[in-house]
Amino acid sequence: MITKRETKILLTAYKNIYGTEFIPHTAGEKLKMHKAIYLLQELGTVCGDFNFFWHISGPYSHELHKGLLEIEANYCIGEIHECSNGCSFKPQAEESMQKLNNIFSQAGDSGYTSTEWCEVLGSIHYIKKYKCSCESDEKIIATLEKEKVNLNRHDSNLQALHLLRENNFL
């Protein structure tokens, strides 16, 4: 069960990263939450007890998914709004969220939807760190495009990898 504090952390982090409040009733928003929390945790920001593994849509956490379902079932829009403004973070976490905001906001230049762009970024990071750590950039992108045939914009995928590297995610 997700605590009120964890709910505030998740909802505030989402708002800080994407500039909008989390809408729990859509699969795309849940996917974006997964990628944001995965990458925040990879940068050292504790958002809850979420273990991530490889899934059809990239890094995925059963614990986070259950928490998001609880938020969907138990919180109205007004409560989500209230919780989205109810948490402060350490400077390192704020910096990490700003980095994520910067790279996630570049979806328009990629040819991907914002949800697909989040999936690309999270998936490339996971592939590089946990599946093909010693491989070349081309091998990492080839693995992404093989495992996720809908994410086949090669130049945009390379751009995502470079953005992750430039922002010290890799």
Side-chain angles (χ1 to χ4, degrees):
M1 179 166 214
I2 191 168
T3 67
K4 181 80 166 181
R5 183 177 189 302
E6 288 172 328
T7 299
K8 285 182 177 187
I9 290 169
L10 292 175
L11 295 176
T12 304
Y14 187 93
K15 185 174 182 181
N16 289 350
I17 292 165
Y18 295 110
T20 186
E21 291 176 357
F22 177 68
I23 302 169
H25 308 291
T26 65
E29 296 297 301
K30 290 174 187 164
L31 185 142
K32 287 168 64 174
M33 178 72 87
H34 269 85
K35 303 320 166 232
I37 299 306
Y38 164 73
L39 288 168
L40 272 179
Q41 285 193 176
E42 289 293 313
L43 288 174
T45 299
V46 177
C47 300
D49 189 18
F50 307 120
N51 298 308
F52 286 85
F53 65 94
W54 186 249
H55 184 263
I56 191 166
S57 60
Y60 176 84
S61 166
H62 284 298
E63 300 87 3
L64 179 55
H65 179 72
K66 288 178 193 173
L68 297 179
L69 291 177
E70 287 179 35
I71 291 170
E72 183 176 357
N74 299 318
Y75 288 82
C76 68
I77 297 298
E79 291 169 314
I80 288 174
H81 174 73
E82 183 181 315
C83 287
S84 296
N85 298 304
C87 188
S88 61
F89 294 92
K90 293 180 181 178
Q92 178 187 350
E94 293 283 351
E95 183 181 318
S96 295
M97 285 184 260
Q98 185 58 50
K99 284 181 180 182
L100 283 171
N101 176 276
N102 290 339
I103 63 172
F104 284 152
S105 67
Q106 295 187 37
D109 300 335
S110 71
Y112 286 120
T113 66
S114 62
T115 302
E116 290 169 330
W117 183 241
C118 294
E119 185 177 352
V120 167
L121 291 162
S123 296
I124 287 173
H125 183 277
Y126 192 96
I127 290 167
K128 171 68 175 159
K129 187 161 183 184
Y130 298 108
K131 296 181 98 178
C132 302
S133 62
C134 297
E135 300 294 341
S136 68
D137 290 357
E138 284 298 328
K139 175 69 175 171
I140 292 162
I141 298 304
T143 300
L144 171 75
E145 292 170 358
K146 178 182 175 196
E147 294 195 21
K148 301 177 148 298
V149 294
N150 63 314
L151 303 178
N152 59 4
R153 290 180 161 76
H154 188 76
D155 290 341
S156 294
N157 296 339
L158 282 171
Q159 174 194 5
L161 188 139
H162 294 297
L163 279 171
L164 288 167
R165 190 169 283 127
E166 289 169 11
N167 287 280
N168 299 318
F169 285 89
L170 297 176

